[in-house]
Amino acid sequence: MSYTPAERRRVFLAYRTVFNGTNAHIRKIKKVREVVQSHNKSFEPLIRDLDFDKVVDVVKSLLDQSIFESELQAKITFPELFRSSPARDVQRSASEVDAARSEAEALEVLSSASEQGGAGMGDTVDDVPQSKLPLSDARSDRTLTIWTPSLYPSFLPYTTQHLILTTAQRQLEECCFDFAAKWLPSLLKEKKWECPEAAELIKWTRTLAKHSGKVPAGAIWKVSEAPLSEVFSSTNVLRHTAVHRLVTSARGIYKMIQSASRLANALGDSSRAAELEKLCLEMGSRIRDMELNKNFLENRLDEQLQAINKKREELDREEKEAIATMLSEDRENKSLAGSFLEAAVKNIFGRPESGPTSMVDGLRESDDVDEGNEHENDQEPEFSNGDIDAHIPADL
């Protein structure tokens, strides 16, 4: 079965996170078919476009070449996915920085409101700064000013973002409740918190941080060099983002889940920490896939723009030639019209070569004729004897 490089690349990007780990070592066609079939719904558009058997065949080919298990092999096979121009790198970095700054500004507003006791009281997504990302970025390496959209930073569908954050928030609230039930039962009784939902995440973390000195030394694990207060407060961002529906970049969400996993580890909840860490790994892999695809799309656009620019230069040259030809032919037509009109003037107002060449010459010749006639009149007529006799009357 034949398939194009574009089809191989598309299948690789789609199934890169499916055939990783132990799945990357699958070689039997039957097992490959089973794994592809198990994800049939997720990749329905791809399977509809290429056909199920063709997808299986491409996946088997990629597995045989160790492309799924080796990034080096992937770079050799699909260099366009990993290639990036300096201009694009600068553009992406600027987009990521702008996104992080916008998110930080929004979170600062929410944190201030929370400190004042107003968190959750009337704050909506419209009340906080939104992520102001450049929809396009100028290409500095082009002689023509062409604005191209930036595909960075990466964003998840909001429904996916909300599901991830609310799930992580619920997991942490349950984790905090279990920790308090084990080490601070009197605190739960005092505050009348009978379930994880009795308090929101920020209240849980602040309360546990405040009473951390009352638990045994080994109850809270040291999972990083960061102070314990920072481990507890780092999940505030997760809560604010989830509650206030703040659209956040995929990498921003990834960092939130990392913070959640670290807090679960610190509270000794290895089960939930492992689940959150697994989610982190899945997110990291998917974000990497998104970025590889973005790299390809941006590189393809750059190549298309270069081709368009060459065509534009050729069209500009043809345009100049067309204008020059028009002006040249117009000058020739002008000269031709002039020569015809000059000939017409000479033909209409001119005279034969034997005649007078001008009105003055004609007048002079007329005067000469008149003078000649006058001289002739002044001379006496000459008659012969016969003529005289003929004019003498007979009676004389």
Side-chain angles (χ1 to χ4, degrees):
M1 185 178 295
S2 62
Y3 30 80
T4 66
E7 291 171 340
R8 281 166 54 85
R9 180 178 57 245
R10 186 179 177 188
V11 171
F12 169 73
L13 288 172
Y15 288 92
R16 180 174 175 268
T17 51
V18 174
F19 289 92
N20 61 0
T22 56
N23 282 351
H25 301 284
I26 297 175
R27 295 294 182 271
K28 294 183 178 180
I29 188 66
K30 182 178 179 180
K31 183 62 177 176
V32 173
R33 183 176 292 274
E34 290 177 359
V35 175
V36 173
Q37 182 66 48
S38 65
H39 294 83
N40 197 10
K41 188 174 182 180
S42 300
F43 302 108
E44 186 176 351
L46 174 62
I47 293 174
R48 183 176 59 250
D49 292 344
L50 300 186
D51 182 69
F52 179 81
D53 291 334
K54 191 171 189 176
V55 170
V56 172
D57 191 51
V58 174
V59 169
K60 177 66 167 58
S61 173
L62 296 174
L63 288 168
D64 290 340
Q65 298 175 43
S66 301
I67 295 176
F68 284 118
E69 61 183 289
S70 171
E71 186 161 311
L72 177 60
Q73 289 296 326
K75 288 181 178 180
I76 294 173
T77 306
F78 305 110
E80 67 276 10
L81 298 180
F82 301 88
R83 185 173 59 246
S84 178
S85 67
R88 282 295 186 187
D89 289 338
V90 172
Q91 183 187 40
R92 292 164 188 167
S93 296
S95 298
E96 293 282 0
V97 169
D98 288 343
R101 184 186 299 114
S102 296
E103 292 164 9
E105 291 174 356
L107 290 169
E108 184 178 355
V109 172
L110 295 174
S111 297
S112 298
S114 178
E115 292 293 338
Q116 296 170 5
M121 300 299 292
D123 292 328
T124 67
V125 71
D126 295 328
D127 298 324
V128 298
Q130 296 299 296
S131 178
K132 298 177 180 179
L133 301 178
L135 294 179
S136 56
D137 197 2
R139 299 300 314 280
S140 59
D141 57 342
R142 293 288 302 277
T143 56
L144 296 174
T145 303
I146 296 181
W147 294 79
T148 58
S150 172
L151 298 181
Y152 282 81
S154 300
F155 286 89
L156 299 173
Y158 185 75
T159 52
T160 304
Q161 171 187 316
H162 191 63
L163 175 64
I164 291 173
L165 294 181
T166 53
T167 300
Q169 181 179 1
R170 184 177 65 253
Q171 292 292 314
L172 290 180
E173 289 173 353
E174 293 174 355
C175 179
C176 291
F177 177 80
D178 291 347
F179 179 86
K182 182 177 181 179
W183 301 108
L184 298 167
S186 59
L187 177 65
L188 294 180
K189 186 176 181 180
E190 175 189 342
K191 292 186 173 292
K192 298 181 181 180
W193 291 349
E194 300 178 352
C195 61
E197 294 79 11
E200 65 177 8
L201 182 58
I202 288 183
K203 287 186 178 180
W204 278 116
T205 55
R206 287 178 179 172
T207 301
L208 294 182
K210 183 178 180 181
H211 293 81
S212 59
K214 298 180 181 180
V215 300
I220 299 179
W221 298 359
K222 186 173 178 59
V223 294
S224 67
E225 297 299 325
L228 183 61
S229 59
E230 183 178 326
V231 174
F232 278 108
S233 63
S234 63
T235 57
N236 291 351
V237 174
L238 187 154
R239 179 268 175 193
H240 290 321
T241 304
V243 171
H244 296 282
R245 304 324 197 246
L246 180 63
V247 177
T248 306
S249 67
R251 289 205 170 274
I253 300 171
Y254 175 78
K255 292 178 180 178
M256 294 179 200
I257 303 304
Q258 282 184 319
S259 298
S261 176
R262 186 165 60 247
L263 176 58
N265 263 320
L267 296 179
D269 195 333
S270 56
S271 176
R272 290 190 176 90
E275 291 174 346
L276 291 169
E277 182 61 29
K278 186 176 181 181
L279 177 58
C280 259
L281 293 174
E282 182 69 21
M283 285 188 62
S285 181
R286 285 299 172 186
I287 291 173
R288 179 60 173 160
D289 290 345
M290 290 174 64
E291 291 176 347
L292 287 178
N293 192 60
K294 289 177 185 293
N295 290 347
F296 165 71
L297 293 176
E298 289 184 341
N299 291 336
R300 184 180 66 182
L301 175 63
D302 290 342
E303 293 174 357
Q304 290 173 335
L305 290 179
Q306 290 176 5
I308 292 172
N309 192 39
K310 289 181 180 179
K311 292 180 180 179
R312 184 180 289 111
E313 291 175 353
E314 178 63 22
L315 290 173
D316 289 342
R317 185 187 63 77
E318 292 180 3
E319 178 185 9
K320 291 178 180 179
E321 289 181 356
I323 293 173
T325 300
M326 177 192 71
L327 295 176
S328 175
E329 292 182 358
D330 181 64
R331 286 192 297 269
E332 293 176 0
N333 187 58
K334 175 183 176 182
S335 177
L336 181 63
S339 64
F340 275 113
L341 288 174
E342 288 178 7
V345 169
K346 292 178 180 179
N347 184 50
I348 295 172
F349 299 99
R351 64 180 181 80
E353 294 183 357
S354 58
T357 58
S358 66
M359 181 179 296
V360 175
D361 293 338
L363 292 174
R364 287 178 179 175
E365 290 182 1
S366 177
D367 292 342
D368 292 342
V369 171
D370 293 339
E371 290 177 359
N373 292 335
E374 291 176 357
H375 289 306
E376 291 178 357
N377 293 332
D378 290 341
Q379 295 178 359
E380 294 181 356
E382 296 180 358
F383 299 99
S384 62
N385 292 332
D387 295 332
I388 295 174
D389 293 337
H391 289 83
I392 295 175
D395 55 357
L396 289 180

